[in-house]
């Protein structure tokens, strides 16, 4: 089941992930291009409406009225005003209302649904916030966000049933090229044209579209109830932060979870935003459908595989259970097989080999273990026949006391060194000792050898204090030094020297080097010794080298989990050098801690 479910499930998961990732990337790329084109179309449309007032500058009779006012020729001038308002109103079907203010005379006219109002006085013109701002504005036009249509100067008659949301373009009329104020022209348009352009940018009831001005007021939304309101959603705050660096982001909260594609308008509406949102449910619908089909196929496949597996399992596992039961008996020490045959297939072959293995184990137990028991009993008899160590220490102490009474101080010193060596060697309770104990032991050994060779032998022990407190396996140093006398100094007549160095390296390893100037070995012999260090060797070799280099090397590898190293260097002219490196902490100590 796992072999079937894991690959198939992984395949479905990877396919779903790759599909959703591809859909996401394709959605972002396609929709960003779409809203950029929509943004460009909206910018052109808004700019066309904002530039409608520029047509009036080319109509000289109207501009004369704006410069001189209505009073000089009231009838003719009013007709020019009506003609201009009617012309502009009929240029675009989405215009709901227009308002014209003439500064000379403070006259005001409106055109609502082609009904041009009578002449009215607008004394408090600058109480209107947008007219007041236009006098301080460098441009010619300001856009008032969507709002319910209202009567300018209370001279338009707008029934409550016809009040709708409009977008207002407020334009200032100046006496170009001077900056003299001539008046204001306001154009209120319904949102039908903007809705038509925006409607091509999203799918209704599946996606959301928002167009916001620089203050966050919603110019258009797929949710009409939000038009004209300020967008205070958290996702919009995030859009404003990242709009200059990215073109999309993923969003998840209680109100919306999905992908948001956004863009910022270019001049003259450079602080406007257009945002399109698509929920994950819509975006990944096709991917989920594909994954569901794959899962259904996988379930059918799994049922078939399960039935086949159970059939094969019952046929195969029966002999395996018999074999397992016999293995458990062997684990308990019962080396007997209670089956004749498990068949002629691979399981049957395994059963036959298992019976042969049990038979061979029984033979080995009969031969090897009994022999080992005999050897242990022989060793025990030898140990019982050895001299009691306490008796030996007391005897040496008595001889040392007698040497002092006879004023033979050198004899006493030698007996003391020998006593320390024997006490250290026979102490079986401690297997791990501080390095300083090994150092004192080898010094005692060297003092005895110094007495033997007199002036023909010198030694030097140089161990740093930080190394002296480190715990190391017992009897590591003295056997190396002993080899110097066994193999290096027997045939040498000139002065013999041994140098022992111990220090802590920068990498945390303990460094020990034992160097003598005795008879070295040739290259062939050196290679043989190095090879023997790395090989297991026969039982006879191990017994001969119990306190030799091989024994030291094997013990270090056991204690330091194969992290210890030993180098041997020699030639027939410069003596023999043994270098050892191992970690500061014994592996056994680490595991115990």
């Amino acid at each position: 089941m796992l072999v079937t479910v894991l690959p198939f499930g992984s395949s479905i998961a990877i396919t779903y992930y790759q599909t959703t990732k591809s859909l996401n990337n394709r959605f972002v790329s396609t929709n960003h291009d779409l809203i950029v084109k929509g943004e460009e179309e909206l910018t052109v449309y808004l700019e066309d409406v904002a530039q409608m007032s520029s047509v009036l500058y080319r109509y000289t009779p109207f501009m004369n009225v704006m410069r001189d006012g209505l009073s000089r020729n009231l009838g003719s001038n009013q007709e020019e005003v009506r003609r201009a308002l009617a012309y502009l109103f009929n240029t675009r079907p989405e215009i709901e209302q227009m308002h014209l203010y003439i500064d000379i005379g403070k006259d005001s006219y409106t055109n609502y649904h082609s009904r041009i109002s009578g002449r009215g006085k607008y004394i408090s013109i600058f109480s209107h916030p947008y007219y007041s701002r236009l006098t301080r504005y460098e441009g010619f036009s300001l856009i008032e966000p969507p709002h319910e249509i209202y009567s300018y100067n209370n001279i338009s008659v707008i029934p409550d049933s016809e009040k709708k949301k409009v977008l207002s373009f407020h334009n200032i009329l100046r006496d170009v090229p001077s900056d003299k104020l001539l008046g204001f022209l306001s154009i209120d348009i319904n949102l039908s044209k903007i809705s038509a352009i925006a409607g091509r940018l999203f799918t209704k009831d599946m996606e959301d579209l928002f167009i916001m001005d620089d203050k966050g007021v919603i110019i258009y939304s797929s949710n009409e109830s939000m038009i004209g309101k300020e967008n205070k959603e958290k996702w919009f705050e995030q859009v404003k932060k990242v709009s200059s660096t990215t073109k999309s982001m993923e969003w998840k909260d209680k109100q919306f979870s999905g992908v948001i594609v956004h863009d910022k308008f270019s001049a003259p509406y450079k602080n406007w935003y257009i945002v399109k949102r698509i929920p994950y449910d819509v975006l990944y619908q096709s991917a989920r459908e594909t994954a569901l089909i794959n899962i259904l196929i996988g379930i059918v496949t799994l049922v078939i595989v399960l039935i086949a597996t159970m059939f094969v399992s019952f046929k195969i596992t029966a002999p395996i259970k018999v074999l397992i039961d016999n293995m458990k008996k062997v684990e308990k020490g019962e080396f007997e097989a209670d089956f004749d045959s498990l068949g002629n297939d691979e399981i049957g072959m395994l059963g036959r080999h298992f019976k042969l293995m049990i038979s061979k184990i029984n033979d080995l137990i009969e031969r090897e273990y009994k022999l080992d028991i005999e050897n242990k009993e022989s060793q025990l008899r030898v140990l019982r026949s050895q001299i009691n160590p306490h008796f030996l220490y007391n005897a040496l102490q008595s001889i040392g006391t007698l040497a002092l009474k006879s004023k033979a101080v050198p004899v006493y010193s030698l007996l003391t060194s020998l006593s320390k060596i024997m006490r250290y060697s026979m102490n079986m309770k401690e297997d791990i000792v501080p390095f300083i104990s090994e150092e004192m032991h080898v010094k005692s050994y060297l003092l005895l050898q110094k007495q033997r060779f007199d002036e023909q032998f010198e030694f030097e022990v140089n161990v740093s204090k930080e190394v002296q407190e480190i715990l190391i396996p017992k009897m590591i140093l003295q056997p190396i030094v002993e080899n110097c006398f066994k193999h290096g100094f027997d045939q040498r007549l000139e002065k013999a020297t041994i140098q022992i160095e111990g220090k802590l390296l920068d990498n945390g390893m303990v460094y020990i080097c034992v160097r003598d100037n005795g008879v070295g070995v040739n290259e062939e012999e050196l290679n043989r010794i190095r090879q023997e260090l790395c090989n297991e060797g026969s039982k006879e070799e191990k017994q001969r080298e119990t306190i030799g280099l091989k024994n030291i090397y094997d013990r270090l590898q056991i204690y330091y989990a194969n992290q210890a190293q030993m180098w041997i260097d020699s030639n027939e002219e410069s003596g023999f050098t043994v270098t050892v490196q191992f970690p500061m902490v014994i592996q056994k100590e680490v595991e115990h801690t």
Side-chain angles (χ1 to χ4, degrees), residues 89-103:
F89 188 88
N90 292 321
T91 56
R92 290 189 175 274
E94 62 270 20
I95 296 177
E96 294 287 332
Q97 179 181 218
M98 299 180 67
H99 172 245
L100 175 66
Y101 167 76
I102 304 172
D103 191 54

Tab-separated table of all heavy atoms in Angstrom, residues 89-103:
chain	number	residue	atom	x	y	z
A	89	PHE	N	-22.896	69.728	-23.706
A	89	PHE	CA	-23.734	68.689	-23.110
A	89	PHE	C	-23.999	67.559	-24.100
A	89	PHE	O	-24.043	66.389	-23.726
A	89	PHE	CB	-25.057	69.308	-22.633
A	89	PHE	CG	-25.903	68.362	-21.835
A	89	PHE	CD1	-25.754	68.248	-20.462
A	89	PHE	CD2	-26.853	67.556	-22.462
A	89	PHE	CE1	-26.532	67.362	-19.742
A	89	PHE	CE2	-27.622	66.660	-21.737
A	89	PHE	CZ	-27.458	66.569	-20.369
A	90	ASN	N	-24.154	67.907	-25.362
A	90	ASN	CA	-24.517	66.914	-26.364
A	90	ASN	C	-23.316	66.153	-26.931
A	90	ASN	O	-23.492	65.229	-27.734
A	90	ASN	CB	-25.280	67.565	-27.520
A	90	ASN	CG	-26.642	68.068	-27.079
A	90	ASN	OD1	-27.315	67.415	-26.292
A	90	ASN	ND2	-27.045	69.246	-27.567
A	91	THR	N	-22.101	66.542	-26.522
A	91	THR	CA	-20.924	65.833	-27.043
A	91	THR	C	-20.768	64.454	-26.425
A	91	THR	O	-20.179	63.558	-27.041
A	91	THR	CB	-19.644	66.640	-26.774
A	91	THR	OG1	-19.534	66.908	-25.367
A	91	THR	CG2	-19.648	67.947	-27.570
A	92	ARG	N	-21.278	64.253	-25.203
A	92	ARG	CA	-21.121	62.947	-24.547
A	92	ARG	C	-22.435	62.564	-23.876
A	92	ARG	O	-23.005	63.343	-23.093
A	92	ARG	CB	-20.003	62.972	-23.490
A	92	ARG	CG	-18.622	63.082	-24.108
A	92	ARG	CD	-17.532	62.887	-23.084
A	92	ARG	NE	-16.214	62.887	-23.706
A	92	ARG	CZ	-15.635	61.833	-24.229
A	92	ARG	NH1	-16.262	60.670	-24.212
A	92	ARG	NH2	-14.429	61.919	-24.778
A	93	PRO	N	-22.927	61.336	-24.133
A	93	PRO	CA	-24.222	60.930	-23.576
A	93	PRO	C	-24.175	60.696	-22.070
A	93	PRO	O	-25.226	60.688	-21.419
A	93	PRO	CB	-24.528	59.632	-24.327
A	93	PRO	CG	-23.207	59.099	-24.752
A	93	PRO	CD	-22.365	60.316	-25.046
A	94	GLU	N	-22.970	60.470	-21.503
A	94	GLU	CA	-22.902	60.171	-20.071
A	94	GLU	C	-22.922	61.425	-19.205
A	94	GLU	O	-22.918	61.344	-17.971
A	94	GLU	CB	-21.653	59.337	-19.745
A	94	GLU	CG	-20.330	60.015	-20.037
A	94	GLU	CD	-19.828	59.739	-21.447
A	94	GLU	OE1	-20.658	59.350	-22.301
A	94	GLU	OE2	-18.621	59.904	-21.683
A	95	ILE	N	-22.978	62.644	-19.819
A	95	ILE	CA	-23.029	63.882	-19.040
A	95	ILE	C	-24.406	64.026	-18.417
A	95	ILE	O	-25.431	63.970	-19.099
A	95	ILE	CB	-22.702	65.099	-19.918
A	95	ILE	CG1	-21.241	65.014	-20.433
A	95	ILE	CG2	-22.901	66.395	-19.131
A	95	ILE	CD1	-20.862	66.139	-21.362
A	96	GLU	N	-24.452	64.191	-17.118
A	96	GLU	CA	-25.699	64.373	-16.388
A	96	GLU	C	-26.006	65.848	-16.142
A	96	GLU	O	-27.151	66.271	-16.194
A	96	GLU	CB	-25.621	63.645	-15.034
A	96	GLU	CG	-25.526	62.130	-15.131
A	96	GLU	CD	-26.839	61.505	-15.554
A	96	GLU	OE1	-27.905	62.092	-15.273
A	96	GLU	OE2	-26.799	60.422	-16.167
A	97	GLN	N	-24.963	66.640	-15.871
A	97	GLN	CA	-25.189	68.044	-15.510
A	97	GLN	C	-23.923	68.849	-15.779
A	97	GLN	O	-22.815	68.312	-15.687
A	97	GLN	CB	-25.580	68.157	-14.029
A	97	GLN	CG	-25.822	69.570	-13.551
A	97	GLN	CD	-26.190	69.654	-12.087
A	97	GLN	OE1	-27.030	70.454	-11.704
A	97	GLN	NE2	-25.554	68.843	-11.256
A	98	MET	N	-24.122	70.134	-16.121
A	98	MET	CA	-22.997	71.046	-16.297
A	98	MET	C	-23.296	72.330	-15.539
A	98	MET	O	-24.461	72.747	-15.436
A	98	MET	CB	-22.774	71.361	-17.786
A	98	MET	CG	-22.460	70.130	-18.625
A	98	MET	SD	-22.194	70.530	-20.356
A	98	MET	CE	-20.686	71.462	-20.241
A	99	HIS	N	-22.250	72.939	-15.038
A	99	HIS	CA	-22.410	74.207	-14.317
A	99	HIS	C	-21.348	75.175	-14.803
A	99	HIS	O	-20.160	74.842	-14.872
A	99	HIS	CB	-22.257	73.994	-12.809
A	99	HIS	CG	-22.217	75.282	-12.043
A	99	HIS	ND1	-21.115	75.712	-11.345
A	99	HIS	CD2	-23.171	76.254	-11.889
A	99	HIS	CE1	-21.373	76.882	-10.779
A	99	HIS	NE2	-22.619	77.234	-11.085
A	100	LEU	N	-21.806	76.401	-15.171
A	100	LEU	CA	-20.898	77.451	-15.644
A	100	LEU	C	-21.006	78.639	-14.703
A	100	LEU	O	-22.109	79.097	-14.387
A	100	LEU	CB	-21.254	77.880	-17.069
A	100	LEU	CG	-20.438	79.050	-17.623
A	100	LEU	CD1	-18.970	78.663	-17.792
A	100	LEU	CD2	-21.028	79.541	-18.945
A	101	TYR	N	-19.841	79.122	-14.288
A	101	TYR	CA	-19.789	80.315	-13.446
A	101	TYR	C	-18.940	81.359	-14.154
A	101	TYR	O	-17.840	81.078	-14.628
A	101	TYR	CB	-19.172	79.977	-12.084
A	101	TYR	CG	-18.805	81.190	-11.275
A	101	TYR	CD1	-19.788	81.950	-10.624
A	101	TYR	CD2	-17.473	81.617	-11.166
A	101	TYR	CE1	-19.447	83.072	-9.880
A	101	TYR	CE2	-17.135	82.730	-10.417
A	101	TYR	CZ	-18.128	83.467	-9.783
A	101	TYR	OH	-17.786	84.583	-9.064
A	102	ILE	N	-19.517	82.624	-14.267
A	102	ILE	CA	-18.809	83.753	-14.885
A	102	ILE	C	-18.427	84.701	-13.778
A	102	ILE	O	-19.310	85.242	-13.064
A	102	ILE	CB	-19.703	84.458	-15.939
A	102	ILE	CG1	-20.167	83.420	-16.984
A	102	ILE	CG2	-18.950	85.599	-16.607
A	102	ILE	CD1	-21.205	83.969	-17.940
A	103	ASP	N	-17.115	84.917	-13.614
A	103	ASP	CA	-16.636	85.679	-12.472
A	103	ASP	C	-17.088	87.130	-12.525
A	103	ASP	O	-17.453	87.717	-11.510
A	103	ASP	CB	-15.103	85.590	-12.401
A	103	ASP	CG	-14.584	86.138	-11.080
A	103	ASP	OD1	-15.059	85.666	-10.023
A	103	ASP	OD2	-13.732	87.022	-11.113
